[in-house]
Amino acid sequence: MRNIRSQRTEGERMRSAIEMARTLPSSEIRAWLDQGKFNLRSGFAMTLFQKIAFERWAREEPSGFLAWTSINASSNDTSLVADAVKNHPEAIESALASLETTEQKEVLIGQIAAASPDLALAELRKLLASPKSATYAFSSAFSVLAKHRPEELEKLLGEIKGPARDRLEQVVYSAKLEKDFEGTLAELYEMPNGYEFVLGRYSYSISQFLK
């Protein structure tokens, strides 16, 4: 980094940044990130360095890259995550295995859901089956998958319990209200305590469609 910053002109700094980003071992990129060695406030050369290094990392070490993004999610990583999932689907399982908490795993599943909904759904089923997952709601994964695999998500309602089922039910029926408001509203009213259900859990979703 000192070598890049010491160059006299922006052009020289850019050339140094490109050369360093191309030669830095991909296995070291995470350490550089975690130690704060990237500093985008240092100018365009550093931004360029980070972009090239990130792209190399996602391509050469997809499992490590995917695991890192679940902990350090950024909107800048979205396309790289999609590319990593598309080109290296086998990296998903090893990335999930390397994560320590259910929250991190759920975030990663949510991130990969748009690029590969079937893979995400398969991994979500495994995670939901774990006793360690009993207290989690899985909001981000459910919300993304509701856009891509709504029918499959609805089938899950009969398979799970606890906070995850409560949140899944809300996501499923909010999506159904958007697709078929009148029919879904009638379906909700047929449930036990249907009126209380509609006025409570779904009052906000319904109010949005009535505006």
Side-chain angles (χ1 to χ4, degrees):
M1 289 298 151
R2 187 178 296 112
N3 180 54
I4 296 175
R5 297 189 183 102
S6 67
Q7 301 299 318
R8 290 177 298 177
T9 68
E10 186 65 18
E12 291 174 340
R13 286 191 288 272
M14 287 175 58
R15 282 191 289 273
S16 294
I18 292 171
E19 178 62 23
M20 190 171 185
R22 287 175 174 171
T23 58
L24 178 70
S26 57
S27 59
E28 296 182 15
I29 294 175
R30 176 169 185 166
W32 281 52
L33 287 165
D34 291 341
Q35 293 170 22
K37 294 184 178 181
F38 290 111
N39 184 350
L40 301 186
R41 292 175 295 180
S42 298
F44 182 72
M46 295 300 293
T47 301
L48 185 63
F49 174 83
Q50 186 193 47
K51 179 176 177 58
I52 295 172
F54 258 47
E55 288 179 352
R56 281 192 55 227
W57 190 23
R59 184 174 63 252
E60 298 173 14
E61 299 281 347
S63 178
F65 172 77
L66 290 171
W68 187 87
T69 60
S70 72
I71 304 171
N72 304 275
S74 166
S75 59
N76 295 327
D77 304 331
T78 304
S79 62
L80 293 180
V81 169
D83 288 343
V85 170
K86 178 181 178 181
N87 298 320
H88 306 280
E90 74 286 350
I92 296 172
E93 188 170 355
S94 56
L96 286 167
S98 71
L99 296 171
E100 297 180 355
T101 69
T102 300
E103 294 99 322
Q104 293 169 353
K105 295 175 189 289
E106 193 255 339
V107 168
L108 179 55
I109 290 173
Q111 288 179 319
I112 67 177
S116 184
D118 291 328
L119 276 174
L121 187 61
E123 294 298 337
L124 181 61
R125 285 181 181 275
K126 295 178 187 177
L127 195 56
L128 286 167
S130 169
K132 295 181 180 179
S133 303
T135 61
Y136 296 98
F138 298 93
S139 296
S140 63
F142 287 155
S143 296
V144 178
L145 284 169
K147 300 176 183 178
H148 301 278
R149 294 294 183 271
E151 295 84 5
E152 293 299 320
L153 272 189
E154 188 168 2
K155 292 177 183 178
L156 276 178
L157 284 172
E159 302 175 19
I160 61 176
K161 299 178 181 179
R165 190 193 186 285
D166 293 340
R167 178 55 183 157
L168 176 58
E169 187 174 63
Q170 189 170 4
V171 168
V172 165
Y173 280 99
S174 293
K176 291 180 71 172
L177 281 166
E178 184 173 358
K179 185 177 181 179
D180 178 11
F181 181 81
E182 185 176 355
T184 303
L185 191 62
E187 184 180 347
L188 286 170
Y189 278 134
E190 292 298 320
M191 294 181 174
N193 302 315
Y195 284 92
E196 296 177 13
F197 208 45
V198 169
L199 294 175
R201 182 173 296 177
Y202 296 101
S203 59
Y204 176 78
S205 295
I206 291 172
S207 69
Q208 299 308 297
F209 295 110
L210 295 179
K211 288 183 178 180

